[in-house]
Amino acid sequence: RCRSRAFARDELFSDVLAFPPGAPLRRHPLMRDGGLISQDRASCAVAHAAALPRGCDVVDGCAAPGKKSTHLAAVLAEAEAEA
């Protein structure tokens, strides 16, 4: 949990940043340009809980707007890069 005014790396998911409530993220250039996406911790857990093997194909038939799918793709890409 992030209780200060600064952000912190999430204690469970190393690829997730935690920001304090009310942080003015919507105005940040990375948010506006798509470099960061915001979602709650439970949504971030999906990509890690799936524990998909390297090289697998994934079809998300319910993606709208696709934040969990985007995070899952990033997790899989990171696993490929580490291999």
Side-chain angles (χ1 to χ4, degrees):
R1 294 255 144 126
C2 185
R3 299 192 196 303
S4 69
R5 292 174 34 158
F7 68 91
R9 188 174 300 271
D10 187 85
E11 55 199 43
L12 295 177
F13 309 115
S14 64
D15 62 333
V16 173
L17 300 176
F19 291 86
L25 294 177
R26 293 192 194 285
R27 294 179 294 205
H28 194 281
L30 284 173
M31 289 290 288
R32 287 195 314 259
D33 297 340
L36 288 175
I37 57 172
S38 64
Q39 61 182 8
D40 61 32
R41 186 187 220 184
S43 294
C44 294
V46 172
H48 296 280
L52 297 172
R54 281 191 358 229
C56 70
D57 293 321
V58 177
V59 175
D60 185 349
C62 300
K67 290 182 178 183
K68 285 188 276 302
S69 297
T70 301
H71 186 223
L72 180 58
V75 168
L76 290 173
E78 184 177 327
E80 285 290 324
E82 292 175 354

